[in-house]
Amino acid sequence: MSAGTVPLPYDRAAIGAALGGDWEETLLAAHHWMTLARELDSRMLGLQRQGRIGFYGPATGQEAVSVAAGLASRAEDWVVPGLREQLVALVRGHSLTRYMHHLFANDRDPARGRQMPCHPSAREVKYVSMSSVVGTQITHAVGLAYGLKLHKESGVALAFFGDGATSGNDFHAGLNFAAVLSLPVLFCLTNNQWAISLPVERQTHVKELAQKAAAYGIASRRVDGTDFVACYSSFTQGLEAIRTAPGPLLCEFTLFRMTPHSSSDDPSRYQAPSWMPQALAHDPVLRLEELLTRHGLLSESAQRSMKEEAARLVKEAIAEAEAVGPPAPDSLLTDVRASGPRPEGPGPEVP
Amino acid sequence: MTELTLVQAINRGLQQAMHDDADVVMLGEDIGLNGGVFRATDGLQKEFGAERVIDTPLSETGIVGTAVGMALYGLKPVPEIQFQDFIYPAFDQIVSEVAKFRYRSGGQYPCHLVIRSPYGGGVKGGLYHSQSAEAYFAHTAGLKVVIPSTPADAKGLLLSSIYDEDPVLFFEPKRIYRAVSGEVPDGDHRVPLGVAKVVREGTDLSLFAYGAMVHPALQAAETLASDGPSVEVVDLRTLSPLDEKAVLASVEKTGRAVIVHEAPRFCGYGAELAALFAEKALFSLKAPVARVTGYDTPFPYALEHLYLPNAARIVAAVRTTMAAG
Ligand SMILES: Cc1ncc(C[n+]2csc(CCOP(=O)(O)OP(=O)(O)O)c2C)c(N)n1
Ligand SMILES: [Mg+2]
């Protein structure tokens, strides 16, 4: 951990109160996933720079929210991701290898190499396919929630989106519909304080984005998104509240974007040098490690072997995925429609 | 004259207009401090101030709708949509409002603005950073649709668009933003809207293309030059209003037409050209009109090299057309 890390303010009793009985297990599971996620981000950004994958959108700095969502949600819940929630799919059981096939857009990518990396589709864990279009998914969560309610299921639809997405149409329509129809939606606003180069104070004139929920009659809370304990307890409480009395809630997770927007971005053009030290001080992985160490739950050697294990898992997945060839040319033409004539496509003679 | 890439030429065109006319205002996502994600607006906020180069919140309908109001007032707004794939949240504003203001107000409220947006594939951008959506807009009466293929045209067509009286959708071929460079006239260089250009003369067959596809079309014509037919290449430059006279003159001369675009074939822009030839040049045609286009699928990621028309596919279509008559 680094000298500047802002410690998480919990003694054992407070952690137990926030996380429940098996809190030690929860924290260690979270640490496992966050370590893996961090390793994945750094390796994949590296591979992108080497040209071995085409694009990468890191979630560095946002791991606590995703891991908490993955661990606190149930199988019957639906996840409607924004740009940086792939980890939620992994925690809910989507295999790392399958995800890696997607990142390499190869022949074993479940979505047949049709999307840019970091746009996985994982129906087996109710993780919905996303577009790159900011915000459109917010209303989809509302419709999923309608289905859950109509079929009297206890699931909740979790809608993820960034601070930038709050300026778009679907944010407003989605909150309004969910409130008017009393639907089980948990709106998860990941406010990493940037939309590419636009800082959040230029995205909105309100002090806290969570205030926007009030305009739709939706209760909201603001949560430190770099504090795993706070994230986990807000997910368990929020989901429980929605299951007991169906109706939407909004959680604004305050975060720090710790990397460029994506592999195509250069923040030195717009970010003040004071940003990164602040962001690093709120590194969710370091904050969790500090907490675990302080309470004697993580020895130096355990931490080392956790990192080695993560490195091994990622390395193996990369090796497996990189060995697979590109999708078959034929896959260009399938899945366009369920019926009707198949589109014409490249003949075998075309290079 | 200055040697510039296509994206630099656009930047110089914007700079020229901002310098010459204080009513030119730009608005869009990441266009100020960041200079646009492709750097098309690089340095302009610094030079002309944040009042005239506005970094907006993330809302395309907000960008275009606000630009409409500016235009009604009398400013000359040049909104940017970061990728053409993200223009759809503003589709309502463009189709219902921008395109119809002049008509529905009996000319009282012209709505002149220039919506700039990078379009097209070849950058490994997948479904949502690669689309060619020109046909939706060409289909809408009241709009002009312009797509340059060279740096000089990019600057000249952009400046003409900014000083035009109609709303213009100005789509920039991002794939050749940096891959194509050339001499660009300095100053207030204008290239008229609505005028196609024969970029290579030929006698046996006409290739019609625009934007990034002009280059593989030229390449195909070159490839065929030594032993094959003599191929003419026409760069449409303005899709709407179409330079009917120029395209018909070319088809009447060569008697054969192959149309190239990246967008899907079905109801793509090529269908309009083919219909035009059927209506007005049928008896000049010696062979069926052919189209080399993207397939009727969403734009793929891993297989974009198969999806995008290239010189080899164009050559094959030319050969087939020549063989047909
Ligand atoms: C409708 C739309 N407009 C523009 C873009 C280009 N774009 C991609 S991400 C992004 C910023 C998103 O910011 P935010 O919602 O805060 O998410 P973050 O990237 O910070 O996680 C923009 C402008 C897009 N993908 N979709
Ligand atoms: Mg953000």
Side-chain angles (χ1 to χ4, degrees), chain A residues 162-164 190 192-195:
Chain A
D163 42 304
T190 53
N192 63 7
Q193 307 185 55
W194 294 95

Side-chain angles (χ1 to χ4, degrees), chain B residues 29-144:
Chain B
E29 293 156 14
D30 306 288
I31 65 168
L33 206 49
N34 198 31
V37 297
F38 292 101
R39 310 292 177 246
T41 55
D42 196 17
L44 298 179
Q45 188 180 67
K46 200 165 173 208
E47 186 172 349
F48 299 105
E51 269 190 351
R52 292 181 61 206
V53 182
I54 308 162
D55 274 321
T56 68
L58 204 170
S59 168
E60 287 73 16
T61 184
I63 293 167
V64 174
T66 302
V68 168
M70 291 172 165
L72 298 179
Y73 179 85
L75 301 181
K76 294 190 179 68
V78 185
E80 175 182 298
I81 301 297
Q82 196 166 86
F83 285 83
Q84 194 196 49
D85 314 62
F86 306 136
I87 204 166
Y88 308 116
F91 200 64
D92 197 12
Q93 284 292 341
I94 297 170
V95 174
S96 305
E97 306 300 325
V98 172
K100 297 175 176 57
F101 253 109
R102 177 183 291 274
Y103 193 77
R104 79 187 190 212
S105 66
Q108 279 183 36
Y109 282 102
C111 181
H112 167 238
L113 44 78
V114 181
I115 302 174
R116 293 181 39 249
S117 190
Y119 86 96
V123 298
K124 276 276 169 197
L127 285 85
Y128 302 102
H129 300 85
S130 310
Q131 293 169 35
S132 295
E134 64 274 6
Y136 296 130
F137 301 100
H139 179 68
T140 302
L143 303 175
K144 287 182 176 166

Side-chain angles (χ1 to χ4, degrees), chain A residues 34-47:
Chain A
M34 285 164 75
T35 307
L36 183 77
R38 193 54 66 86
E39 172 70 15
L40 189 63
D41 272 5
S42 84
R43 279 305 306 276
M44 299 325 287
L45 271 174
L47 293 194

Side-chain angles (χ1 to χ4, degrees), chain A residues 167-222:
Chain A
S167 295
N169 300 352
D170 287 279
F171 171 76
H172 299 281
L175 264 65
N176 194 37
F177 275 46
V180 167
L181 301 170
S182 297
L183 297 176
V185 184
L186 183 57
F187 293 103
C188 310
L189 196 182
T190 53
N191 177 7
N192 63 7
Q193 307 185 55
W194 294 95
I196 309 187
S197 72
L198 196 75
V200 67
E201 48 302 347
R202 303 275 316 283
Q203 188 70 247
T204 178
H205 205 57
V206 294
K207 286 242 162 48
E208 301 181 355
L209 281 170
Q211 292 171 0
K212 296 200 178 208
Y216 297 101
I218 294 178
S220 69
R221 60 151 75 169
R222 230 177 173 222

Side-chain angles (χ1 to χ4, degrees), chain B residues 139-175:
Chain B
H139 179 68
T140 302
L143 303 175
K144 287 182 176 166
V145 180
V146 174
I147 303 187
S149 72
T150 67
D153 276 359
K155 181 178 175 187
L157 290 167
L158 180 59
L159 281 165
S160 294
S161 299
I162 292 173
Y163 294 111
D164 201 77
E165 289 183 303
D166 287 313
V168 179
L169 279 286
F170 190 88
F171 295 138
E172 303 168 2
K174 61 170 142 4
R175 178 193 199 179

